[in-house]
Amino acid sequence: MLRAYDRLAMTAAEKHQAARTSTSVPPPVAGRCPPPRGGARLNGRAGIRDVAAAAGVSITTVSDALNGKGRLPDATRSHVREVAERLGYRPSAAARTLRTGKSGLIGLTVTTYGEEPFTFTEFAYFAEMAAAATSAALARGYALVILPAPARSGPAGGGGPDVWSNVALDGTVVVDPSAQDPIVSELLRSGLPVVSDGRPSDSLPVAAWVDNDHEAAVRGILDHLAESGARRIGLLTGTSTDTYTRLSTTAYLDWCERVGQEPVYERYPAHDPCAGAVAADRLLARPDRPDAVYGLFDPNGTDLLAAARRYGLRVPEDLLLVCCSESPAYATTAPPITTLSLKPGRIGNAVTQLLIDAIEGLAPARPVQRVMPTELIVRTSSRRGSARTTVSAPRAPASE
Amino acid sequence: MLRAYDRLAMTAAEKHQAARTSTSVPPPVAGRCPPPRGGARLNGRAGIRDVAAAAGVSITTVSDALNGKGRLPDATRSHVREVAERLGYRPSAAARTLRTGKSGLIGLTVTTYGEEPFTFTEFAYFAEMAAAATSAALARGYALVILPAPARSGPAGGGGPDVWSNVALDGTVVVDPSAQDPIVSELLRSGLPVVSDGRPSDSLPVAAWVDNDHEAAVRGILDHLAESGARRIGLLTGTSTDTYTRLSTTAYLDWCERVGQEPVYERYPAHDPCAGAVAADRLLARPDRPDAVYGLFDPNGTDLLAAARRYGLRVPEDLLLVCCSESPAYATTAPPITTLSLKPGRIGNAVTQLLIDAIEGLAPARPVQRVMPTELIVRTSSRRGSARTTVSAPRAPASE
DNA sequence: GCTGTGTGCAGGCACGGTTCTGCACGAACC
DNA sequence: GGTTCGTGCAGAACCGTGCCTGCACACAGC
């Protein structure tokens, strides 16, 4: 059996050799081929042709053997694999991508403010979300590339060459897409699957989106504060028009109207960390000072705590505090601060799974809309009177 | 002038059309070409051929016009650009990569523990470092891909297809490379530039590396604690053999020997968040309990603080505390804890610049070794007696 | 007029795989 | 013994772009 195979292999090798020689150097034609074309180009590494020659088979057979396709006896398959291993053969990702049209790369982009490639005020959220997305992508054989959004929407344009056109993507995750983002519309026009983190505008026909139920989260927090004895609840919110800010603020105003409380809120540009401290101060300096505050952004907790100290307000006796944050640091502040976690890890995972489903054609016809729950981690800053334990925080950074 | 150009263009278009027809359908040959080969393949998008046909020029001219090469009059150049724009032409990144050998992608990988794609205990460090590396790469026209290290070094192998072989990289940043990491040696063998964050083993001929001066940092902290009145300084360290742990521990032991103090330290597996709390407890439960502790890892600060409370030790009166962390949360604990920042943003930036220099051939012959300074942020937990302010912390999360 | 010289652009190969098609050959069957 | 059928593999057409080569033409100089 093996002997028969060996004879076959020899014959094939001879034939191949003959064909190769007579083809690559057609005697009468002028001398071209600056490199002898038989040696190793490819920057010194072996190509599929070298493997084929060394194994005494054709290129097709090498490709089939390594990719588990075609009809090949196990003897040939293992022989080719062995030779490829010996030569240290690594297939060229670029060539494969060109031929198959699939690169195994998915993009991740997010609206930017200023120089940072992603929103600084949501750094913890984004870091955790991106980490989960990276994990999920790798687990399914994809790699994740972080790409910049266009610098603001000004005429300046991003500095340097366009990175977007230099990477072959199979699909893209977009965080908090805006309706007029040229990148997103370009992606959609080109037919690439796009999945968004955050409810997109109706005019963006993304394949799927994932978002928290921000309205329900805000209602839950306000109810919780009211149950803890708050009479006038204030809000620290942003001036940006992204979905998160808009939905949360609207939910706050609706809640106020429903329970008959006059809204008490301050807005500030959320991308400016200093403005947050100033806004926290403003909120507590008002004549109609609230006795509870919910802050929409991560640094609001420490800012509000500092402002409360300046005004001599005790937390939680004089002021109840909740903020939206992913930082475990709020478990160890004095006092520990109740936080709303958006569970970015879950979102990053979900959004990646949906994108890869869409890439691999597993997607349903209609766009998938998935709403993920948030988690309220109740700590001292929002407990007053009877310590009513609702949800306890993990004592160490959650391993998600 | 324009008229003359138009006539030329018409002529060229006709010639091109003729050549196209006669070449793509050699009349006597049998009917192949399943798709008519004149329409748009490429998944519905326009290719360079379509642009050439629509502009009435050759493929070469399109390529030259768009890439700013060749000898072309401005009229032709702008005409081609206009047509390309009108057709929504986007060059194929895969084809360009295959042809030029440059993908514009750089990899980032780090030794893993368990399932996460990067070391969890150093999450804040890695997140900040990766963010800076991403920014730096994008600013120079590259995109960054996070890739997994091989799952442990066991025979199991990472689940799923090999992502490494599916992405074409121009170079790789490796965090804390181990000498026997098969990925790194494979990268080096293949001739790809590799730059490491963390001093590599001598057997790894990387193009460059960047690291903090860990020994100096540890000496600085121990001196600082001694100046604050510490008589017996303990260390919370890891069981791992990575460079950071090893150098820091050695520096501690050397310092102890120099000043004549008996070393007091506990080791624990740094990838296990629970083990850290237990080790902190063990350290403070010892009969030769230290009156100051330096913790090498991020969660050690809160863990030590909690342990101190359990033993009724006041910070800083009974126990001085310093830990290595990037978290701004330690500015608001009770009391605020002195931290050593490794400035991962600077490292991520430096390592990326060096890698791209190497990729673009700007690198010197000898490997570059760059040592970056650390920053000790002195807070209440290590000040005793006269409040000696050394370096003050920024009050908000530093914008780097 | 015939040969340099320079400009403007077309032809065509190469990059390194993947895959469709089809040939050769042995075996089984009527 | 010719006709199927199935197996094992080779040929060659792609994928879309970059770049090297070289032709055609215009113009200038002797």
Side-chain angles (χ1 to χ4, degrees):
Chain A
M1 180 57 180
L2 257 180
R3 249 187 125 56
Y5 166 71
D6 281 341
R7 278 198 300 126
L8 272 176
M10 290 305 287
T11 315
E14 284 160 10
K15 283 196 300 186
H16 191 68
Q17 191 65 25
R20 215 177 154 71
T21 323
S22 72
T23 306
S24 75
V25 186
V29 178
R32 279 295 201 57
C33 307
R37 193 70 191 88
R41 59 239 151 300
L42 186 58
N43 202 19
R45 294 187 61 73
I48 198 173
R49 275 162 256 266
D50 304 304
V51 177
V57 295
S58 77
I59 295 177
T60 307
T61 304
V62 175
S63 177
D64 284 347
L66 295 181
N67 295 337
K69 304 193 174 175
R71 306 170 302 199
L72 297 180
D74 289 345
T76 307
R77 223 175 271 279
S78 58
H79 177 232
V80 169
R81 289 209 171 121
E82 188 182 320
V83 172
E85 175 72 19
R86 183 157 47 80
L87 296 185
Y89 168 68
R90 292 282 173 270
S92 150
R96 175 176 295 173
T97 297
L98 177 60
R99 182 63 232 230
T100 63
K102 258 80 188 74
S103 67
L105 287 178
I106 64 187
L108 175 58
T109 187
V110 61
T111 313
T112 56
Y113 299 89
E115 306 252 320
E116 291 297 318
F118 31 78
T119 311
F120 179 69
T121 51
E122 295 167 5
F123 185 91
Y125 174 90
F126 185 74
E128 204 171 315
M129 185 271 187
T134 303
S135 290
L138 290 175
R140 292 187 65 172
Y142 288 75
L144 190 134
V145 187
I146 294 179
L147 290 167
R152 301 177 196 266
S153 54
D162 185 13
V163 190
W164 279 93
S165 67
N166 275 333
V167 279
L169 297 178
D170 289 347
T172 311
V173 172
V174 182
V175 180
D176 234 332
S178 98
Q180 55 268 27
D181 188 330
I183 296 274
V184 177
S185 40
E186 168 67 24
L187 286 172
L188 289 169
R189 260 198 306 127
S190 72
L192 250 75
V194 173
V195 171
S196 86
D197 169 8
R199 205 175 273 106
S201 144
D202 290 338
S203 57
L204 290 180
V206 298
W209 58 259
V210 178
D211 204 348
N212 297 112
D213 191 345
H214 293 301
E215 291 104 324
V218 170
R219 282 194 301 267
I221 288 169
L222 298 176
D223 287 342
H224 164 69
L225 289 172
E227 278 178 27
S228 294
R231 309 303 304 265
R232 182 167 33 227
I233 306 178
L235 183 76
L236 209 48
T237 179
T239 52
S240 174
T241 59
D242 61 295
T243 323
Y244 168 65
T245 307
R246 199 158 31 78
L247 290 183
S248 301
T249 308
T250 307
Y252 168 77
L253 296 175
D254 289 350
W255 187 89
C256 286
E257 188 171 354
R258 189 157 53 81
V259 304
Q261 184 210 299
E262 196 66 24
V264 187
Y265 61 91
E266 293 285 341
R267 328 178 80 108
Y268 74 98
H271 55 271
D272 178 357
C274 290
V278 175
D281 212 277
R282 267 208 317 269
L283 189 56
L284 297 189
R286 292 172 64 128
D288 54 343
R289 170 154 64 202
D291 60 351
V293 177
Y294 173 48
L296 283 187
F297 302 105
D298 197 306
N300 293 350
T302 49
D303 289 341
L304 284 165
L305 204 55
R309 284 205 194 101
R310 276 195 295 279
Y311 289 101
L313 300 172
R314 293 165 304 165
V315 176
E317 290 80 2
D318 306 320
L319 183 70
L320 297 171
L321 236 49
V322 177
C323 78
C324 180
S325 166
E326 306 308 325
S327 169
Y330 284 119
T332 56
T333 50
I337 296 182
T338 297
T339 56
L340 176 77
S341 168
L342 304 178
K343 308 303 278 178
R346 284 185 198 161
I347 296 203
N349 182 64
V351 90
T352 306
Q353 302 294 351
L354 287 173
L355 178 61
I356 297 179
D357 287 349
I359 290 170
E360 296 180 348
L362 309 173
R366 296 178 313 130
V368 181
Q369 310 179 357
R370 186 166 298 173
V371 175
M372 310 285 287
T374 56
E375 183 177 354
L376 186 64
I377 303 170
V378 177
R379 302 198 183 94
T380 314
S381 76
S382 67
R383 285 196 204 108
R384 194 186 286 166
S386 61
R388 139 185 20 215
T389 305
T390 314
V391 182
S392 70
R395 59 168 299 283
S399 66
E400 168 53 14
Chain B
M1 179 55 182
L2 257 180
R3 249 188 123 59
Y5 166 72
D6 281 342
R7 277 200 299 127
L8 272 177
M10 290 304 288
T11 316
E14 285 159 10
K15 282 196 300 187
H16 192 66
Q17 190 64 26
R20 213 176 156 70
T21 323
S22 72
T23 307
S24 74
V25 186
V29 179
R32 279 295 198 62
C33 307
R37 193 70 192 90
R41 60 240 150 298
L42 186 57
N43 201 18
R45 292 188 62 74
I48 199 173
R49 269 167 265 264
D50 304 304
V51 177
V57 296
S58 77
I59 295 178
T60 308
T61 305
V62 175
S63 177
D64 285 347
L66 296 181
N67 295 338
K69 303 194 174 174
R71 309 170 301 201
L72 297 180
D74 289 345
T76 306
R77 222 175 272 279
S78 58
H79 177 233
V80 169
R81 290 209 170 121
E82 188 181 321
V83 171
E85 175 73 18
R86 184 159 46 80
L87 297 186
Y89 168 69
R90 292 284 173 267
S92 150
R96 174 177 295 171
T97 298
L98 176 60
R99 183 62 234 236
T100 62
K102 258 81 188 71
S103 68
L105 288 178
I106 63 186
L108 175 59
T109 187
V110 62
T111 313
T112 55
Y113 300 90
E115 305 250 321
E116 290 296 318
F118 30 79
T119 312
F120 179 70
T121 50
E122 295 167 5
F123 184 91
Y125 174 90
F126 184 75
E128 205 171 316
M129 185 272 189
T134 303
S135 289
L138 289 175
R140 291 187 65 173
Y142 288 74
L144 190 134
V145 187
I146 295 179
L147 291 167
R152 301 176 197 270
S153 53
D162 185 14
V163 190
W164 278 93
S165 66
N166 275 333
V167 278
L169 296 178
D170 289 346
T172 312
V173 172
V174 182
V175 180
D176 234 333
S178 98
Q180 55 268 29
D181 189 329
I183 296 275
V184 177
S185 41
E186 168 67 23
L187 285 172
L188 289 169
R189 261 198 305 128
S190 73
L192 247 73
V194 174
V195 171
S196 86
D197 169 8
R199 204 176 275 107
S201 145
D202 290 337
S203 56
L204 290 180
V206 299
W209 58 259
V210 178
D211 205 348
N212 297 112
D213 191 345
H214 294 301
E215 291 104 325
V218 169
R219 283 194 300 267
I221 287 168
L222 299 175
D223 287 342
H224 164 69
L225 289 172
E227 278 177 28
S228 293
R231 309 303 304 266
R232 179 166 35 226
I233 306 178
L235 183 75
L236 209 47
T237 180
T239 51
S240 174
T241 59
D242 60 294
T243 323
Y244 169 65
T245 307
R246 198 157 32 78
L247 291 183
S248 301
T249 308
T250 308
Y252 168 78
L253 296 174
D254 289 351
W255 188 88
C256 286
E257 188 171 355
R258 188 157 55 80
V259 304
Q261 184 210 297
E262 194 67 25
V264 187
Y265 60 93
E266 293 285 343
R267 327 178 83 108
Y268 74 98
H271 54 271
D272 178 358
C274 291
V278 175
D281 212 278
R282 268 209 316 269
L283 189 57
L284 298 189
R286 291 172 65 128
D288 54 343
R289 170 155 65 203
D291 61 352
V293 176
Y294 173 47
L296 283 187
F297 302 105
D298 198 304
N300 293 351
T302 48
D303 289 341
L304 284 165
L305 204 54
R309 283 206 194 101
R310 276 196 295 279
Y311 289 101
L313 300 171
R314 293 165 305 164
V315 177
E317 290 80 1
D318 305 320
L319 183 69
L320 297 172
L321 237 47
V322 177
C323 76
C324 180
S325 166
E326 307 307 326
S327 169
Y330 285 119
T332 55
T333 49
I337 296 181
T338 296
T339 55
L340 176 77
S341 168
L342 303 179
K343 307 303 276 176
R346 284 185 198 161
I347 297 207
N349 182 65
V351 88
T352 306
Q353 302 293 351
L354 287 173
L355 178 61
I356 296 179
D357 286 349
I359 290 171
E360 296 180 348
L362 308 172
R366 296 177 314 131
V368 180
Q369 310 177 357
R370 187 165 296 173
V371 175
M372 311 285 287
T374 56
E375 183 178 351
L376 186 63
I377 303 169
V378 177
R379 301 198 182 94
T380 314
S381 76
S382 68
R383 287 197 203 107
R384 194 186 286 167
S386 61
R388 139 186 21 218
T389 304
T390 314
V391 180
S392 70
R395 60 167 300 283
S399 66
E400 167 54 14

